[in-house]
Amino acid sequence: MQSKSILIVYCHPYPQSFNHAILTHLEKNLTNHGLHYQLIDLYGDHFQPFYDAEELRLFHQGQTHDPLVKRYLDQLKTADGIIFVTPIWWNSIPGMLKGFIDKVMKEGDGLTHTVTRTGISGCLTNLKHAYVFTTSTSPTFWFRIASGNGIQKIFINKTLEQLGIRKAKWYNFGNISHATKKQRTHYLMTCQERSLHF
């Protein structure tokens, strides 16, 4: 049986962050269990998360002049599952990750989605499962109850589903600024355990 390939999309600029600790533990865990993974490090790759005029002109042709977009598209189309590692900034995903969605998710047959009369039809059905691991200074219950639950309702239930990713789970480490070492370790263990369930 062919080994599954997992794509990690990592979105944080600071190598001493807890997000980077999550990434390090995921990579080690996947390697230890013989699972192949690819990494998209948006800040490390110096990805430009915005359109210029030429990139936007090419959008409806399903084309790009950005070599990173071409590489990312190939990785998205050949992976079996995807993991996002990102902080929550101002109640949503960071601009860098939003730019990844805006710019890389190309319209057209054989790309990430097509547009029909009734809406968007996702083409990334090869990504059988997704995990979204986030950190936040606010408590998780606040996002889910008081701020509209945007990560779940918009990023997961709308954006990822429209792209064809039907099964996604979100795990947030809230109130991180006041977290104990034990709480941080518990979250890392949760991320490691979940990353094997593809």
Side-chain angles (χ1 to χ4, degrees):
M1 180 182 294
Q2 185 177 6
S3 177
K4 292 183 178 180
S5 177
I6 310 303
L7 181 61
I8 301 175
V9 179
Y10 173 63
C11 180
H12 203 289
Y14 185 46
Q16 302 303 317
S17 68
F18 189 69
N19 281 262
H20 195 269
I22 295 169
L23 172 64
T24 300
H25 277 72
L26 288 174
E27 291 181 306
K28 182 178 180 180
N29 194 46
L30 292 170
T31 299
N32 288 343
H33 285 83
L35 291 173
H36 173 69
Y37 73 90
Q38 300 177 76
L39 173 64
I40 291 176
D41 182 349
L42 295 174
Y43 285 96
D45 291 342
H46 303 289
F47 176 64
Q48 297 295 324
F50 51 83
Y51 282 101
D52 56 27
E54 178 64 7
E55 186 74 15
L56 192 56
R57 185 186 72 81
L58 293 169
F59 174 78
H60 288 293
Q61 302 171 37
Q63 299 179 13
T64 180
H65 69 88
D66 187 335
L68 277 178
V69 171
K70 294 177 182 178
R71 192 185 95 194
Y72 292 168
L73 278 169
D74 286 342
Q75 291 174 303
L76 284 164
K77 295 298 293 183
T78 56
D80 300 300
I82 190 167
I83 298 172
F84 294 92
V85 180
T86 179
I88 296 175
W89 288 345
W90 290 106
N91 309 307
S92 186
I93 58 175
M96 177 67 90
L97 184 53
K98 180 61 166 63
F100 170 80
I101 300 294
D102 289 344
K103 191 175 174 184
V104 177
M105 304 307 169
K106 295 291 186 183
E107 174 187 345
D109 290 334
L111 295 172
T112 67
H113 66 283
T114 59
V115 179
T116 70
R117 291 180 180 272
T118 57
I120 294 174
S121 178
C123 300
L124 294 179
T125 54
N126 56 293
L127 298 173
K128 301 300 184 184
H129 209 123
Y131 289 103
V132 181
F133 297 126
T134 59
T135 60
S136 65
T137 53
S138 297
T140 301
F141 75 84
W142 190 85
F143 288 109
R144 292 191 181 277
I145 297 172
S147 73
N149 206 12
I151 300 297
Q152 183 69 52
K153 290 185 177 180
I154 303 299
F155 183 62
I156 293 176
N157 293 356
K158 295 295 184 288
T159 302
L160 296 187
E161 185 170 332
Q162 284 180 313
L163 291 167
I165 306 170
R166 303 296 183 186
K167 294 182 179 180
K169 294 287 186 181
W170 171 40
Y171 296 90
N172 184 56
F173 186 11
N175 206 24
I176 189 171
S177 299
H178 303 285
T180 65
K181 182 178 180 179
K182 182 177 180 180
Q183 290 170 323
R184 290 170 183 256
T185 300
H186 181 266
Y187 185 76
L188 289 174
M189 294 302 295
T190 297
C191 294
Q192 288 182 196
E193 179 185 347
R194 293 292 94 194
S195 67
L196 300 177
H197 295 178
F198 279 95

